[in-house]
Amino acid sequence: MATGMLLVCGLALFLTIKSNLLHSQQFTISFQRPSDCSVEQFYDISSQSCVKCGPNQSTSATGLSCECVTGFRVLATNGASITCQQCPLEKPAVTEDGYGCILCPGSLTEQGTCQCPSGSILVERDVQGNPLEEARCEVCNGAEPALSAPNSYGDRYQTQPSLPVQSAWFSTNLYSSAAACLVYTNLTACQALGNMCVMNMHSFSSVANDACGLYNTIFRATAALGSTQDISYWRANLPWLYYGDQPGLANRVLQTEPLPTGFSFKGRNRNTDINLVAAVYNTRGDFLQWEKVGGNNLQALSLSRQHVLWCFLMVTVVLRSHLAPILLRMSDLLRVYAEPLFYDVFVDLSRGEDRRLLPLPTRNLNQEYNRKFINQGNLNDWYLSRRVLLVDTLSGREKSLGSLPKVIRIASSIRIGFQLVPGTQKGQVFPPLLSVTYSDVLITAPNTQTVSVSFAVYYEMDQTEAHMKTDIALGVLGGVSVLYSLVKTASWKRRIGSPLIDIETVLKFLLFYAGDLANVFFFITVGTGLYWLIFYKAQHFVSVLLPLPGLQEERFIAYVGCAFALKTVQFLHKLIQQLSVDIFFIDWERPRGKANKTIQGTPSPVSIWRTYFVANEWNEIQTIRKISPTFQIMAVLFLLEVVGFSSLALRDPWSDLQRPPQSYAPPYSLTLRYGLAATLWLCIGLLQIIFFTAFHERFVEDKICQFVDLCSISNESLCGQRGLLPNTDTQTFQISITSRLRLQYDRILEPLSRRNGPSRLVDAASGHPFDQSTKAYHTMNRFLGSVIDHAHRDMEYVVRDKLFFERVIGMEFLEPMDKSIFYNDESHSFSDVLFYGNEATLLIFDTLFFCVVDLGAQSFILAGVLTYVQQMIFRLIRNGIGRRNLANKTLVDQRFLI
């Protein structure tokens, strides 16, 4: 957050990892600070350890080197250690550089060097640089024109005021630091050279005269010095910058040996935190201090370098966190980071007296090798490194170190990642990886310009096995769905009496397959989301981790998209089928009275009001469902937003439904969000179906059975029994008709088809359309009634029960060759042409619609509103077009359908 201040960071990434005494972890070192060194030891900034001083030596004031005791000079040095020799009595004083002995013109200082009076400088060499036998004290000339005075060190004159002109940092210090490091083994020079390599993004090429090229040259040239801390990549006297360049080394470093402790979410052994420490160096190679990344040293609103570091490297987290981009003001960065700081970051594995550190490998995404980015591809191609910096305002200064930099380099993205050990049940993870991305920012308006940075701690697991299991499930179930779709297609071909495989057959198969494959994708994705929801939120020791946003979740989201797209195809297919279904109501009432002479060839009129009444009841049940869609949406939103179930979709491992408003809220997991929403929708839907089936339809109202009873009651005085056969009450049947019966049915409807077609095909002499409908209705009614009454020998039928296997696969084995077949249907399968009989399809479609909208908008409320709108639109379409189709097929005037 934050414009108007450098950074507001009131919370810390102070995480604790508890370690046992197992020290087999790769590359662990002993954790020692300068304060841990005794009076006889100095802190070696190269090896980051305490080293004992030699004879006649004592620790320097900084504690970072040894120096000869008073009266002793440096006889020899290799840069890392020195040898001291006592000065003779004739030359008792030590020269300022500590390498020679000399006779003083006056008194000696406490350090055993010559001392000159105020206003004088000490001269120990002649103008050719040769040492003098006796030192001289020369008085400065303060009068014009010299206007000179001793400098702050008292070893030379300087003009007042001093106006030094300095060159850019690299041109001034690169080669001198490399020479001092190689020739004199100067520790700070070696560190300074390493820092320049870090400022150069650890990049190197075949040309060896850049910072990293010089570092690697010295690294190879000093192989005889051996390694530090028993780490082969850490050369003695040099900073540790690289892990080596062997192929596959990154994989071995990161995934060979786990940390000696496990992470636990719950219980008495709860452990979800890590503890990071950093060794800090300045640009010149001086060791500054050890700093803990996090802890009580963080002061809110502080603008110190330490505060900026912590705000870069921390945020309150529980195992997985992400900090939204933070805006830093350019003016504050230039002020606070006038000189870059460099950090060697470690994981603190200390426990009790045993203090151990684990170096944090670094993946610099800006690192180049021969002008190619090498850390942005496959893991086996990475070149891991060690030291990092956060802000570089120094190397961009073109003219002088005092000038404003033209460009600054900043760590715009820092990610600390932990890889879960495959198959672990104790929460073990591999060593963490620090990934850093740098951005070069051109300074255009330093007073108003801002820079965006972000930080994340993430834990991941290898998703290869999960992907493989998903692919296997898709392959197996997808194959089964192919077979099931073929059976459906064969059943459809048998019912329409067509033996040919044509384009229509292929299209029908694809439509059936779309629906079946949609169910496969749906149940796999819901099962996957529910698996992560249960096992991630309920685990005590870390054994599973969520797929990371981006690549790991893309496949899952693609599967959800496929399920929704295919289910939409199936839904539209069923909708079109329902809007074009053939339907006719048979009235058993026989004509009474004399024939109507006004219309030749037509029987006496029969009251059509019963048919209108039955048609209206059918029209009313076209869109009834086994659930209440409005209650479904309200109940899901109530549980998610009011009760707080949406908190279960957060990326943290906690299962708390209510969170304090001021607490840190991690981002949502798309996988958990989908699994949670889909599970709630399905559960509430299934509970509604159970309630309506077991209670409401049995004790309150069953509109489907009521419609069947209505048809029976309408014919009660005309039929001697409710059933079609003697001594039976079965009133509903599935009918497999012969081709002869179907042709006759179509022939009767043909005049109506012409009337509903283009106006040029209508016969003007055929009379009023209403009279045509009435005539066709009576003809169809008389025909179908006579068929059921066995009045046509060539259109006979038999009544039988379906075999169990026929009911299971939805396909009849017998073909109606000579006789039609009436299958007893006590399950009222005529509801398949209504919404009521397709509740499973509608429920899954609504679930997917709700979830897809939510995944895109990240809003359950918006998803609920759009789902309601979608339901209303399709309900209006089904009612409107369904009413027109009902009027056309039943020959009932649409004006009488309410």
Side-chain angles (χ1 to χ4, degrees):
M1 36 186 305
T3 29
M5 62 185 67
L6 177 61
L7 191 57
V8 177
C9 189
L11 301 174
L13 167 74
F14 183 52
L15 314 171
T16 311
I17 284 186
K18 298 182 179 179
S19 172
N20 54 29
L21 298 178
L22 297 177
H23 296 150
S24 58
Q25 172 61 40
Q26 191 177 25
F27 300 146
T28 58
I29 66 174
S30 177
F31 184 15
Q32 293 181 317
R33 296 185 176 93
S35 58
D36 297 329
C37 300
S38 65
V39 292
E40 298 178 348
Q41 294 177 318
F42 77 99
Y43 191 77
D44 186 350
I45 64 174
S46 174
S47 64
Q48 297 173 349
S49 60
C50 297
V51 180
K52 186 177 180 179
C53 294
N56 304 315
Q57 299 174 21
S58 62
T59 306
S60 66
T62 63
L64 303 180
S65 63
C66 291
E67 60 185 13
C68 296
V69 298
T70 302
F72 285 75
R73 71 181 182 96
V74 177
L75 177 64
T77 180
N78 63 0
S81 61
I82 60 176
T83 302
C84 298
Q85 182 185 52
Q86 188 174 12
C87 289
L89 294 177
E90 61 273 15
K91 294 181 179 181
V94 181
T95 57
E96 289 288 338
D97 59 12
Y99 284 85
C101 296
I102 197 169
L103 181 63
C104 292
S107 60
L108 276 67
T109 64
E110 294 181 358
Q111 292 76 30
T113 59
C114 298
Q115 184 175 15
C116 289
S118 177
S120 302
I121 64 169
L122 178 66
V123 178
E124 297 178 333
R125 294 177 181 269
D126 59 22
V127 293
Q128 284 78 31
N130 299 316
L132 300 175
E133 292 294 324
E134 181 179 356
R136 302 195 303 268
C137 292
E138 296 187 1
V139 180
C140 299
N141 184 7
E144 295 184 1
L147 297 174
S148 62
N151 67 359
S152 59
Y153 296 101
D155 58 357
R156 66 185 64 189
Y157 305 120
Q158 66 180 22
T159 304
Q160 301 293 330
S162 176
L163 298 175
V165 177
Q166 302 181 27
S167 61
W169 180 261
F170 271 75
S171 60
T172 302
N173 298 285
L174 176 59
Y175 295 111
S176 59
S177 297
C181 177
L182 178 62
V183 178
Y184 299 104
T185 320
N186 185 287
L187 296 184
T188 55
C190 293
Q191 297 293 328
L193 176 62
N195 292 341
M196 284 184 271
C197 178
V198 175
M199 296 165 74
N200 203 28
M201 301 291 96
H202 293 89
S203 300
F204 55 93
S205 62
S206 55
V207 180
N209 59 355
D210 58 1
C212 296
L214 293 172
Y215 171 87
N216 284 305
T217 298
I218 297 174
F219 185 90
R220 292 188 294 268
T222 57
L225 297 179
S227 61
T228 297
Q229 299 278 15
D230 296 326
I231 299 175
S232 59
Y233 314 119
W234 196 348
R235 180 75 74 240
N237 306 325
L238 291 177
W240 181 11
L241 299 187
Y242 297 98
Y243 276 84
D245 57 358
Q246 296 91 339
L249 180 60
N251 184 65
R252 297 197 298 271
V253 170
L254 297 174
Q255 299 182 359
T256 298
E257 190 173 350
L259 293 179
T261 189
F263 290 93
S264 174
F265 289 145
K266 301 169 184 176
R268 291 179 298 178
N269 297 323
R270 173 176 169 176
N271 177 29
T272 61
D273 304 328
I274 59 173
N275 188 16
L276 302 179
V277 295
V280 187
Y281 296 81
N282 63 16
T283 311
R284 293 177 295 277
D286 297 320
F287 174 81
L288 300 181
Q289 61 183 345
W290 282 97
E291 290 183 353
K292 180 177 291 187
V293 181
N296 297 328
N297 58 339
L298 174 65
Q299 300 297 324
L301 303 182
S302 168
L303 296 183
S304 65
R305 288 190 181 97
Q306 291 81 1
H307 176 70
V308 177
L309 166 65
W310 302 146
C311 290
F312 263 99
L313 291 182
M314 76 191 168
V315 62
T316 298
V317 297
V318 272
L319 195 62
R320 179 188 298 274
S321 71
H322 175 75
L323 180 65
I326 301 170
L327 294 179
L328 305 179
R329 293 199 329 195
M330 179 66 72
S331 57
D332 291 328
L333 289 175
L334 294 175
R335 175 171 55 85
V336 175
Y337 270 93
E339 178 181 333
L341 295 178
F342 300 83
Y343 304 92
D344 291 343
V345 186
F346 298 83
V347 177
D348 188 358
L349 301 179
S350 299
R351 183 178 183 181
E353 296 297 326
D354 184 51
R355 310 182 66 185
R356 306 291 295 175
L357 295 179
L358 172 70
L360 200 65
T362 301
R363 176 193 176 198
N364 186 339
L365 277 79
N366 297 74
Q367 183 176 343
E368 296 182 47
Y369 179 75
N370 287 332
R371 299 187 178 277
K372 293 183 179 180
F373 292 103
I374 55 178
N375 287 336
Q376 298 182 4
N378 187 275
L379 170 63
N380 292 324
D381 299 329
W382 291 356
Y383 279 49
L384 298 180
S385 53
R386 276 285 299 138
R387 185 166 294 185
V388 297
L389 81 159
L390 300 180
V391 183
D392 178 11
T393 62
L394 183 61
S395 60
R397 302 178 188 267
E398 292 185 313
K399 299 179 180 179
S400 68
L401 296 180
S403 63
L404 184 70
K406 181 178 180 180
V407 64
I408 70 168
R409 178 167 286 166
I410 187 169
S412 56
S413 174
I414 300 179
R415 294 159 54 89
I416 300 178
F418 289 78
Q419 177 78 33
L420 191 67
V421 175
T424 181
Q425 298 298 323
K426 296 297 182 181
Q428 288 187 302
V429 295
F430 289 117
L433 173 66
L434 175 64
S435 299
V436 186
T437 301
Y438 292 91
S439 298
D440 293 335
V441 182
L442 182 66
I443 299 179
T444 56
N447 294 327
T448 59
Q449 195 171 356
T450 59
V451 180
S452 176
V453 299
S454 64
F455 170 73
V457 174
Y458 66 95
Y459 284 65
E460 62 179 336
M461 64 179 293
D462 188 359
Q463 300 290 333
T464 304
E465 183 178 0
H467 290 164
M468 182 181 66
K469 291 180 178 179
T470 302
D471 292 341
I472 292 174
L474 276 175
V476 174
L477 296 179
V480 173
S481 66
V482 170
L483 297 178
Y484 190 44
S485 301
L486 287 174
V487 171
K488 287 182 179 180
T489 307
S491 176
W492 173 77
K493 291 292 289 183
R494 181 185 292 263
R495 288 173 178 176
I496 66 173
S498 173
L500 300 177
I501 299 178
D502 50 12
I503 295 178
E504 185 183 12
T505 304
V506 175
L507 178 60
K508 202 69 174 180
F509 165 76
L510 294 177
L511 291 173
F512 286 138
Y513 184 55
D516 296 331
L517 190 59
N519 294 334
V520 170
F521 277 112
F522 175 73
F523 288 111
I524 286 180
T525 53
V526 172
T528 301
L530 188 60
Y531 167 83
W532 291 116
L533 183 64
I534 294 175
F535 286 93
Y536 179 68
K537 292 291 184 177
Q539 60 187 333
H540 286 257
F541 286 96
V542 184
S543 58
V544 295
L545 292 172
L546 294 174
L548 292 178
L551 292 178
Q552 290 190 354
E553 279 190 333
E554 282 181 358
R555 176 181 293 198
F556 179 81
I557 301 302
Y559 288 166
V560 175
C562 290
F564 176 66
L566 294 172
K567 183 55 68 172
T568 301
V569 172
Q570 182 192 26
F571 171 71
L572 294 177
H573 175 222
K574 286 182 174 290
L575 183 63
I576 293 172
Q577 282 184 317
Q578 293 187 12
L579 296 177
S580 59
V581 66
D582 289 343
I583 184 172
F584 188 83
F585 299 115
I586 305 173
D587 191 344
W588 289 98
E589 182 179 0
R590 298 296 182 262
R592 292 192 294 262
K594 297 181 180 180
N596 189 348
K597 303 299 183 181
T598 60
I599 302 178
Q600 297 296 328
T602 61
S604 300
V606 175
S607 174
I608 202 171
W609 291 109
R610 289 188 305 165
T611 302
Y612 286 171
F613 183 67
V614 173
N616 272 286
E617 290 300 314
W618 177 269
N619 186 53
E620 290 181 4
I621 66 173
Q622 289 193 96
T623 55
I624 66 167
R625 295 180 56 176
K626 296 180 181 180
I627 67 171
S628 170
T630 303
F631 175 81
Q632 176 80 13
I633 296 174
M634 298 301 295
V636 171
L637 292 181
F638 176 79
L639 292 177
L640 288 172
E641 298 294 344
V642 179
V643 178
F645 274 77
S646 60
S647 298
L648 296 177
L650 295 174
R651 285 192 167 271
D652 60 28
W654 319 128
S655 54
D656 302 327
L657 298 184
Q658 299 295 335
R659 308 291 181 94
Q662 69 277 10
S663 64
Y664 170 74
Y668 284 99
S669 164
L670 295 183
T671 304
L672 294 184
R673 201 173 177 97
Y674 173 82
L676 176 66
T679 301
L680 285 178
W681 193 281
L682 290 177
C683 288
I684 295 176
L686 292 176
L687 288 176
Q688 281 203 80
I689 292 174
I690 294 173
F691 171 79
F692 273 83
T693 302
F695 178 79
H696 187 271
E697 291 181 351
R698 178 171 297 185
F699 301 106
V700 181
E701 184 182 33
D702 185 349
K703 288 184 176 295
I704 300 299
C705 287
Q706 285 177 354
F707 178 77
V708 175
D709 293 339
L710 174 63
C711 293
S712 178
I713 293 173
S714 298
N715 294 320
E716 201 149 288
S717 62
L718 305 175
C719 299
Q721 56 196 18
R722 292 176 64 92
L724 184 62
L725 298 179
N727 303 319
T728 63
D729 290 328
T730 303
Q731 306 171 74
T732 54
F733 302 87
Q734 288 185 4
I735 303 175
S736 180
I737 63 176
T738 62
S739 58
R740 186 181 300 108
L741 194 155
R742 180 70 198 199
L743 288 174
Q744 183 63 22
Y745 179 88
D746 293 338
R747 188 178 297 114
I748 297 173
L749 287 180
E750 185 178 0
L752 277 300
S753 301
R754 290 202 306 268
R755 180 174 66 83
N756 294 326
S759 59
R760 67 178 183 273
L761 300 178
V762 177
D763 184 1
S766 60
H768 193 274
F770 181 78
D771 294 335
Q772 284 187 328
S773 297
T774 302
K775 180 179 179 179
Y777 167 78
H778 287 298
T779 303
M780 181 66 74
N781 190 73
R782 191 168 57 251
F783 167 68
L784 294 178
S786 63
V787 169
I788 295 176
D789 283 340
H790 301 279
H792 301 274
R793 292 186 177 181
D794 58 343
M795 298 181 188
E796 282 290 342
Y797 66 90
V798 295
V799 180
R800 63 184 297 268
D801 292 326
K802 273 192 176 182
L803 300 176
F804 173 77
F805 197 58
E806 287 179 320
R807 291 196 300 268
V808 170
I809 66 175
M811 178 180 178
E812 299 79 27
F813 296 154
L814 296 178
E815 292 191 43
M817 302 301 292
D818 298 324
K819 294 182 180 182
S820 300
I821 305 175
F822 281 41
Y823 293 100
N824 292 316
D825 180 27
E826 296 182 356
S827 61
H828 301 158
S829 62
F830 67 86
S831 64
D832 290 346
V833 297
L834 307 173
F835 272 6
Y836 183 90
N838 294 274
E839 187 57 56
T841 300
L842 294 173
L843 183 63
I844 295 176
F845 176 74
D846 289 344
T847 305
L848 286 169
F849 187 92
F850 179 87
C851 292
V852 167
V853 173
D854 174 68
L855 291 179
Q858 296 284 290
S859 171
F860 290 122
I861 296 177
L862 178 62
V865 171
L866 293 183
T867 302
Y868 177 79
V869 172
Q870 166 264 126
Q871 291 174 343
M872 294 300 298
I873 291 175
F874 282 114
R875 185 176 181 179
L876 290 174
I877 293 174
R878 179 65 180 84
N879 275 328
I881 302 179
R883 181 185 299 109
R884 187 172 62 185
N885 178 70
L886 180 63
N888 292 336
K889 299 299 176 62
T890 63
L891 309 179
V892 173
D893 196 296
Q894 188 172 352
R895 292 172 295 178
F896 294 97
L897 296 177
I898 303 173

